[in-house]
Amino acid sequence: MSALALIDYGAGNLRSVHNALVAAGAVDIAVTADPDIVASADRIVLPGVGAFAACMNGLTAIPGMVEAMEARVRGAGAPFLGICVGMQLLADAGEEHGRHPGLGWIGGTVRAFAPQPGVRVPHMGWNDVVPVGNHPVIAAGEAYYLHGYHFADAADVAATSSHGGPFIAAVAKDTIVGVQFHPEKSQAYGLATLERFLAWHP
């Protein structure tokens, strides 16, 4: 059994996320595409960079991976962290290059930022994280973002930020938490976020 499974499905910033997790105190990290390792891990991290559909296709292309994630996280209650597109995949669907189904773990749809004068898309750079409620992993601060799409209409919002209006910066439900920002690029705030995730025993 690995303490932490960092899922390798061809769509994540794996080296940077791995290094950040180590810096945050993680030990026994398995960077893996093996569903059996995921099915027995204490914690699971799903990174993600790129388009929603490509990331979802990469995940579903690994036989048994989604089923292993479902069993370990939603069945057995292992703590789970989704990062950037890894968070977006928790949604019911994404609308990038057509409508595509997501994991459906947290209700909502991933949509493009609406064009607005003076508002640059993609949203790139440092921005606030404003907690909604009191979640053990999510704290107020500034984090680094890089995304053109955002999780919309979620019922399980853990934090917001603003880019031409408010958008969801984090979601959380049961033992699942997802962040739109990149902890591995967010310096001290990002490491503190990962430390809280590693210490979280929901």
Side-chain angles (χ1 to χ4, degrees):
M1 175 180 286
S2 294
L4 190 150
L6 178 58
I7 299 178
D8 178 4
Y9 63 112
N13 191 7
L14 288 171
R15 182 177 294 275
S16 294
V17 175
H18 177 272
N19 290 345
L21 285 164
V22 170
V27 294
D28 191 17
I29 302 171
V31 180
T32 184
D34 185 341
D36 291 337
I37 292 175
V38 172
S40 64
D42 292 336
R43 295 174 187 275
I44 298 169
V45 176
L46 182 70
V49 176
F52 184 101
C55 289
M56 193 66 197
N57 288 341
L59 197 59
T60 57
I62 303 171
M65 181 58 81
V66 171
E67 291 81 1
M69 291 167 57
E70 289 266 359
R72 191 65 188 143
V73 178
R74 300 182 84 190
F80 173 96
L81 174 64
I83 296 173
C84 196
V85 182
M87 165 204 170
Q88 294 180 359
L89 295 182
L90 298 171
D92 294 322
E95 295 183 347
E96 189 170 3
H97 309 307
R99 187 175 175 89
H100 307 277
L103 292 168
W105 291 7
I106 291 182
T109 302
V110 175
R111 297 194 171 98
F113 281 109
Q116 296 183 54
V119 177
R120 296 183 65 178
V121 176
H123 171 222
M124 180 171 62
W126 292 85
N127 208 334
D128 292 335
V129 178
V130 181
V132 175
N134 185 24
H135 193 277
V137 178
I138 305 301
E142 270 197 316
Y144 186 87
Y145 296 83
L146 176 55
H147 61 120
Y149 287 74
H150 63 101
F151 205 128
D153 308 322
D156 302 290
V157 180
T160 63
S161 189
S162 183
H163 187 66
F167 71 89
I168 294 170
V171 294
K173 179 181 181 181
D174 303 326
T175 65
I176 300 161
V177 63
V179 295
Q180 181 61 67
F181 55 85
H182 285 275
E184 76 281 8
K185 297 180 180 179
S186 297
Q187 300 178 8
Y189 176 81
L191 289 182
T193 301
L194 294 177
E195 288 170 0
R196 289 190 295 271
F197 172 70
L198 294 172
W200 183 37
H201 293 283

